[in-house]
Amino acid sequence: MRAHETLYNLQLTTRSPMGAITYFTGGILIENGWIRILGSGSERSKRSIVL
C-alpha cells in the first residue's frame, strides 16, 4: 500500500495534520492560488511527498 509506505518513510503518524494528509489523500491542489500539498500519490498523479 503506497500510503502506508509513504507515511512510514516520513516517520509520521495519522494523528499529525501532515500525516493525515499524506495517508488519506493523494494530495491537495488549489489551482490559481498555487497551493499544492502532495500526499501519497494516486493513479492520476504518480508523484508523492517522498518523490
Side-chain angles (χ1 to χ4, degrees):
M1 180 177 208
R2 184 187 298 181
H4 181 72
E5 291 174 13
T6 302
L7 199 65
Y8 178 79
N9 287 335
L10 293 174
Q11 295 294 296
L12 296 172
T13 69
T14 55
R15 291 182 178 207
S16 70
M18 190 52 118
I21 290 169
T22 300
Y23 191 79
F24 294 111
T25 71
I28 298 171
L29 172 68
I30 299 172
E31 197 62 27
N32 292 329
W34 282 48
I35 295 176
R36 182 190 302 187
I37 302 172
L38 296 172
S40 59
S42 66
E43 290 298 317
R44 192 169 175 194
S45 174
K46 301 298 183 192
R47 295 176 58 189
S48 73
I49 196 169
V50 178
L51 299 175

